[in-house]
Each structure stands twice: as structure tokens, then as C-alpha cells.
Amino acid sequence: MEKNLPFILEIKEELAGYWKKINLEIGGSRADLVIDYYNNRIKVMNFTGIFEKISEVLKIVAKVEKIGKIIVYTPLENIKELETCGYVEEGNIKGYYAEKTAMFSQVTLKLPEEFLLIKGKKTR
């Protein structure tokens, strides 16, 4: 993957201290994110393009926001691409999107504990 590729994060909506809805764009790829501070998660609601590019930015955002887990909701046909980036299938959600009857999968990347260090304390 090309290093130092510029990316854009655009906050669309937020409830301070609880969540933010963000659009991410990087090198022709894009994703709709929700940063869920209450549950300590970044949720990728959908994405288009090359996930490897998106994944690198997600790790940066997780570190800056002190988030411990990234969850990606994706159609089953995208699972292999996410697994090559270190994500693990955690479960299936039948009919996740109302307009589709296909199964969707929740895949996660648990981040190293150093992502969770805040003022010398671990958070969980």
C-alpha cells in the first residue's frame, strides 16, 4: 500500500461524548463510520473501494480516539478482503440492510492494549 496517502475525515453529526458519524475518504475508497464512545467502538457501517486503505486510517482514528475495537458490517462476499487486514468474523446478521435479504457479517479487529492507555490507566 502507498504510504502517506492523504485522507479526509468529515464529521457529519455528533452527540458530544457519546458518538460521531463520520465520512472517510482515502485514495478513491470511502466509508461511513460511527465512533461509539460509550461502547468504545468504531463501527464501519458500509464501505466502497479497497478496504486495506480504509483499514490503515481506521487504526489511526482508533489510536487518536482511544478506541479498543473496530467493527465492520459487510456482505459475506467481502469477508476474505477484511481477513487479509487482520479482521476476524464475529457473527452474522440476517437481513442487516432492509432492502437486501442476504446475510451480513460483523467482523472485528481488536486493537493492542497500547491503544487503550489513557493517563497511565487501561480502559476496558
Side-chain angles (χ1 to χ4, degrees):
M1 190 175 106
E2 184 180 339
K3 297 293 181 192
N4 300 319
L5 194 61
F7 61 89
I8 298 169
L9 292 174
E10 178 186 11
I11 299 173
K12 299 303 283 182
E13 189 178 352
E14 75 177 295
L15 180 57
Y18 292 96
W19 54 263
K20 287 181 190 171
K21 290 184 180 178
I22 297 175
N23 288 345
L24 162 64
E25 293 183 28
I26 179 167
S29 299
R30 55 180 277 46
D32 297 323
L33 314 177
V34 173
I35 300 177
D36 177 352
Y37 296 104
Y38 183 79
N39 292 303
N40 197 30
R41 310 281 188 255
I42 293 176
K43 298 174 184 178
V44 179
M45 306 313 287
N46 59 61
F47 71 90
T48 57
I50 300 170
F51 188 77
E52 183 181 8
K53 292 178 182 180
I54 294 167
S55 181
E56 293 304 313
V57 176
L58 291 173
K59 291 174 189 174
I60 293 167
V61 172
K63 190 164 190 165
V64 169
E65 296 287 349
K66 298 174 178 61
I67 298 294
K69 190 174 187 180
I70 300 169
I71 298 172
V72 182
Y73 299 103
T74 187
L76 293 175
E77 59 266 16
N78 293 343
I79 296 296
K80 294 292 182 210
E81 180 182 8
L82 276 69
E83 287 176 343
T84 63
C85 295
Y87 289 74
V88 176
E89 186 174 358
E90 204 171 71
N92 290 318
I93 305 168
K94 188 174 184 177
Y96 177 71
Y97 295 109
E99 67 272 8
K100 295 188 179 185
T101 57
M103 295 285 283
F104 282 76
S105 188
Q106 173 178 316
V107 293
T108 62
L109 178 65
K110 291 186 180 175
L111 298 165
E113 288 193 13
E114 62 264 20
F115 278 61
L116 303 175
L117 291 177
I118 301 172
K119 295 182 185 170
K121 292 184 177 182
K122 289 184 196 174
T123 61
R124 291 266 172 202

